[in-house]
Amino acid sequence: MDLYMMNCELLATCSALGYLEGDTYHKEPDCLESVKDLICYLRHEDETRDVRQQLGAAQILQSDLLPILTQHRQDKPLFDAVIRLMVNLTQPALLCFGSVPKEPSMRHHFLQVLTYLQAYKEAFASEKTFGVLSETLYELLQMGWEERQEEDNLLIERILLLVRNILHVPADLDQEKIDDDASIHDQLLWAIHLSGLDDLLLFLASSPAEQQWSLHVIEIISLMFRDQNPEQLARVGQGRLAQERSTDVAELEMLRQREMAEKRARALQRGNRHSRFGGSYIVQGLKSIGENDLIFHKGLHNLQNYSSDLGKQPRRVPKRRQAAQERSPQRRSALSVRLFLRDFCSEFLENCYNRLMGAVKDHLLREKAQQHDETYYMWALAFFMAFNRAASFRPGLVSETLSVRSFHFIEQNLTNYYEMMLTDRKEARSWACRMHLALKAYQELLATVNEMDMSPDEAVRESSRIIKNNIFYMMEYRELFLTLFRKFDERCQPRSFLRDLVETTHLFLKMLERFCRSRGNLMVQNKRKKRKKKKKKVPDQTVASGNVPCSAEELEALWPGLAEQLQCCAQDPELSVDSVIPFDAASEIPVEEQRVEAMVRIQDCLLAGQAPKALTFLRSAREVWPEGDVFGFPDISPEEEMQLLKQILSAPLPRQQGTEEGGIEEAEEEEEEEEEKEELQVVQVSEKEFDFLDYLKRFACSTIVRAYVLLLRSYRQNSAHTNHCVVKMLHRLAHDLKMEALLFQLSVFFLFNRLLSDPAAGAYKELVTFAKYIIAKFFALATVNEKAFVELLFWKNTAVVREMTEGYGSLDGGSSGCRAAAWSPEEEAQLRELYFTHKDVEGQDVVEAILARLNTARTRKQVMHRLVRLGLADSVKDFQRKGTHIVLWTEDQELELQRLFEEFQHSDDVLGHIMKNITAKRSRARIVDKLLALGLVAERRELYKKRKKLAPSSTLDGEESLKDFWQDLEEENLPEEESEEEDEKEESLEAEQAHSHSVLSAENLGQGLHQEGFSAPLLWLQNCLIRAADDREEDGCSQAVPLVPLTEENEEAMENEQFQQLLRKLGIRPPASVQETFWRIPAKLSPTQLRRVAASLSQSKEEEEEEKLHSELSIPGEQGPSEEERRENRAEAFRDLLLACKEKARLVSLEEEGAAGGKDQLKVAPKKRQLLDSDEEEEGDEGRSKAPDLGAPVIQKKKRYQIEDEDEND
């Protein structure tokens, strides 16, 4: 990017910084403001990071910021601002873009920013720059923690972040390919060393008072040593060991042999000048494209290089199937840098390692660190423990991480990374890199424990024995390697990961084998999953099941004892209602509609003889549902409470199946049960004697063998130790377990052929010996089993290996060790006869019928295989039991399930209707899982069976007793056979009536909140509801809207219990889980309902006039209602619930009549709903109301009824 293309404002800001004259930088008067403006510009840059690119192209950091930093350090505000700007400019490109972009234009911007960062890193490789940073950091650290200000701590953190950012910049691989050469990174490390910053890092790591910077320090140290090999670094300055010299000699000899072989091959070839008629040859035994033998048109010396793939276009491998690339290889730095790093490592281990690693571990466990910071901890553990083991092994220097807790921490993270790699497929390679770091740390822990075994100190060897005893005892540590091998994916995990996994497994097996030999017998932990069947609970036919067993005489006999208990506890001041909640807050039924269930719970307590508990429930329910006086007046007397409880005891209340206290839980359990008998897996922990060969058999798997063969293909690039680890494992499987047939595979033999024909095969004596051993075993088996050559085409498991070696059909006897008896001709004839007899019988399992009539005992599997071999069936799948083993969903079945869900999603039992109507019968759990997978429901509780809601009625139809009311209500709750259209109408009417009642009760509560000073929060709530209604009308769709209080007054209101009760009555749901914080307006409320709810929150003028009218009609001096009036009011409240069902039926009939009447009947004067305070009842179904009776006794507690009046003009 050219400087002249820079933005004008940005160019003017950069020009106002100052100018460089020779080696002196002259700052402008507006230098500080210009730096702050640049920070502001960077904060508002676009997604292409245009500001960052323009500043990088103009080299602002090199020409302006670094001179200001080094020459104007005394100007503290300017120095702090420049540090802030440089931290932002040197931010890693991955953090700027989030990830490496895949789109070409964005990837170009990413690489451009990376280029500028590499230029910044080269500019920072100066002793003068790091000298200023070191001096500033030293002065700040000299101050005690009580003297430091917040600005000082921020400056310390910014300096550490700046150093971290500079070290984090990746190297340019095109320029840094030569070992022992001083790269940019080496120059940076040398500048850090000369400035003394490395000593400050050691001080921060060792000081107990500076533990807050421990994560920054360990990150900087990991970036300093990212290209180094700890073992090579530990041997710097000690001269070349004899082992290294012998290794180098062997490598040179190998290269010389290959070169000599190539020379001999070229000598055998003819010269370039030869006749074009060299001849054509027929290769016998090698077919061409047709049926004839192959004709070869070149010289015989080229025949050995012939391949059928010559001239073919290589097959392109898609990106998602390409093997993962290796990370940048390690390089050897300049000698002076390596000596400095070696001394730094020694001092770090002596004084800082244990303290720093303990502080970092504490930060990680307390979750004070950022995401993925544990990777720096695992890198430091692996690097410094390897350095300690290679330099001069002293276990005390790494005692902080040398414990069973460290093994557990690494194993947990390794398992977590492994699971995330399988689930988060987009970031699978990133999780694989983190898993590789954890594996390296685990490998180094094992290597250190193994080194402790060879220590001359008895205490060290005893510590090693204790650690090994713990890790070998736990099953998780033994199963770890099997899991990693089985899930190895070369698309995500590079070849280096497989190499480290093979070497770590080799070390673990060697240690485990040696430990078993020294102990004789080893007891280990064994975890086994036991399957048990869980039967459904059969509900007791008692009071809890909903059938009251007591007659009227029994209830009369039960009441005197309850009355005595009630008289004793009625005046008890310690009887608290706070501990009892009369409603279920987790239920889908609104709180205002749970009054009947609360009544049932009170009756259950009375029937169980728990009178104090019943009284507590009654008083608690009175506080929750004060409207209607269903549970009594607020100032009810003890005698009236006893009479009310007596009425509840004798009332025939409608009950759900199951107990009301545990009904919800039992209903959920019934919905979640998969079948009548459900299989559950229970992990049983026990101990058993460990057998090393049994454990080794777990590795006899084709997946694991293929991973080892994959690594063996690169035997030329592998180290001698890696090849030894591969051959040792394959030798254990082939020789120790007698399963050499696992390696009878064509690709393995092709690899052996390449190995044996290698000119440098003499350097791989162990591999050559093993290859000859396997090939000899194969040809020995081929003399007995002629099908062994065909078996070369396939990878094999242990069962196939057994059949190859012991004879085919040896596994027909099942899992028992004995071989099944052969089928005689008489048995085969009987089998044919039985098959032809029962194959056409409908509704019968053919195999079961044959098994019941066979003369000899055979298993189902044997009969099916014999029928297939006799040609009576095409496959074993033809005999699968019908109705079982349906696992996969077809596309048509998914469409059918989606159609059924849309059809029944508004019914009371969605899942029950789907299971009745679905074509392919499946279990309840399978249907629920598929609905969740298709995204049709968000959680399982949405599919629970909905209880029938009881909406309060708006009219009263006559004088009825309390007992008659509950009898009528029971009749209303009986199931009726109606059409689907009528059911939908009833559901909509119930919802409308329930919502109207909630609005009515919310008005009373809203008026109380107005009087208590919550007018402003109520106005805010009203505005939120109106805005939500407008948005839903505009968008045409609805979703849950959170109520976010932005003022302190609204926050206090949202925490108020009475305000929360108002929200529940309005239908606003509380936070559903821990992840939710705010109350939400549910999506099911329509815009009309939202506006109606919003209108109910404000006290209208009509209501004020009605209150005035009521006060005028009230008789002065009236103190309160009498006892008879209170009983009448309570009976009226009970009748309210009954009349809801009757009003619903009336409205349905009116709708049907209106629909059948025609257009003329539809033209009726519009009606409006009013809320009147009256003591009168509606007399008919015509929608007219009587005028209030002035002579009637006035009740202190007013009741509201919802009636429909004609317009005022009529």
Side-chain angles (χ1 to χ4, degrees), residues 68 346 557 707 890 893 1172:
I68 293 175
S346 301
T890 64
Q893 291 171 351
L1172 300 181

Side-chain angles (χ1 to χ4, degrees), residues 537-808:
K537 298 180 181 178
V538 180
D540 298 333
Q541 301 297 326
T542 58
V543 180
S545 66
N547 302 323
V548 181
C550 301
S551 61
E553 293 78 11
E554 293 176 347
L555 292 175
E556 289 294 336
L558 182 64
W559 176 248
L562 295 173
E564 293 180 2
Q565 297 183 33
L566 290 171
Q567 289 177 357
C568 297
C569 63
Q571 303 296 335
D572 188 4
E574 297 181 358
L575 193 66
S576 174
V577 299
D578 296 337
S579 60
V580 178
I581 301 176
F583 61 89
D584 184 9
S587 175
E588 295 182 355
I589 304 175
V591 176
E592 62 270 9
E593 299 177 15
Q594 296 187 32
R595 292 188 294 179
V596 178
E597 297 179 4
M599 198 79 71
V600 173
R601 297 174 70 180
I602 296 173
Q603 189 184 63
D604 288 340
C605 293
L606 292 173
L607 291 173
Q610 301 175 355
K613 187 175 181 180
L615 183 60
T616 306
F617 264 117
L618 179 67
R619 293 178 178 177
S620 178
R622 188 185 307 143
E623 293 184 1
V624 176
W625 296 287
E627 64 276 357
D629 300 332
V630 177
F631 299 97
F633 290 99
D635 54 349
I636 189 172
S637 63
E639 293 77 10
E640 291 176 333
E641 277 186 334
M642 292 181 63
Q643 291 298 324
L644 181 58
L645 288 173
K646 186 176 181 180
Q647 292 179 9
I648 294 174
L649 176 64
S650 58
L653 302 179
R655 292 173 174 268
Q656 302 287 339
Q657 287 187 353
T659 61
E660 286 301 320
E661 293 184 2
I664 297 174
E665 290 81 5
E666 291 180 3
E668 291 179 359
E669 288 178 2
E670 290 177 2
E671 297 293 340
E672 291 175 355
E673 283 185 359
E674 180 176 337
E675 296 173 354
E676 184 177 357
K677 292 182 179 180
E678 181 183 41
E679 287 189 354
L680 298 178
Q681 290 186 352
V682 180
V683 178
Q684 287 188 344
V685 181
S686 59
E687 286 189 347
K688 70 172 184 178
E689 187 174 351
F690 181 75
D691 187 354
F692 182 76
L693 286 181
D694 287 344
Y695 176 67
L696 198 59
K697 289 177 183 178
R698 306 285 302 280
F699 289 88
C701 171
S702 61
T703 308
I704 299 178
V705 173
R706 290 170 70 176
Y708 274 90
V709 172
L710 178 63
L711 185 60
L712 189 60
R713 287 177 186 169
S714 57
Y715 68 93
R716 291 184 178 181
Q717 291 78 29
N718 296 340
S719 64
H721 177 66
T722 302
N723 288 333
H724 168 72
C725 294
V726 174
V727 174
K728 181 62 178 178
M729 171 57 78
L730 297 180
H731 182 264
R732 288 180 188 272
L733 299 178
H735 182 266
D736 298 350
L737 299 181
K738 309 297 182 185
M739 290 187 181
E740 57 274 355
L742 281 173
L743 297 172
F744 293 168
Q745 214 277 336
L746 201 58
S747 62
V748 179
F749 281 17
F750 181 77
L751 174 61
F752 287 164
N753 180 45
R754 183 159 62 92
L755 173 65
L756 295 175
S757 59
D758 192 340
Y764 309 106
K765 294 181 180 179
E766 192 176 20
L767 294 178
V768 170
T769 304
F770 179 74
K772 292 180 178 179
Y773 169 78
I774 295 297
I775 294 172
K777 286 290 184 181
F778 171 76
F779 284 108
L781 179 64
T783 58
V784 181
N785 184 3
E786 297 178 353
K787 298 179 181 178
F789 294 97
V790 182
E791 294 285 1
L792 285 175
L793 301 174
F794 311 101
W795 291 99
K796 291 162 279 295
N797 54 21
T798 53
V800 178
V801 168
R802 178 180 168 188
E803 283 196 331
M804 282 183 63
T805 54
E806 298 180 8
Y808 294 99

Side-chain angles (χ1 to χ4, degrees), residues 399-454:
S399 59
E400 175 63 33
T401 54
L402 196 57
S403 62
V404 180
R405 289 180 301 173
S406 299
F407 276 95
H408 177 67
F409 180 78
I410 300 299
E411 188 268 338
Q412 269 191 330
N413 282 280
L414 190 57
T415 307
N416 180 42
Y417 296 152
Y418 154 75
E419 293 174 352
M420 291 303 299
M421 188 191 71
L422 297 181
T423 54
D424 189 5
R425 300 305 299 177
K426 290 184 178 180
E427 298 294 331
R429 296 194 177 186
S430 300
W431 291 110
C433 290
R434 299 184 188 105
M435 188 162 61
H436 193 184
L437 275 175
L439 179 63
K440 289 289 291 182
Y442 197 84
Q443 178 185 12
E444 193 50 48
L445 282 173
L446 288 175
T448 304
V449 173
N450 185 48
E451 192 74 21
M452 291 171 66
D453 276 344
M454 307 172 187

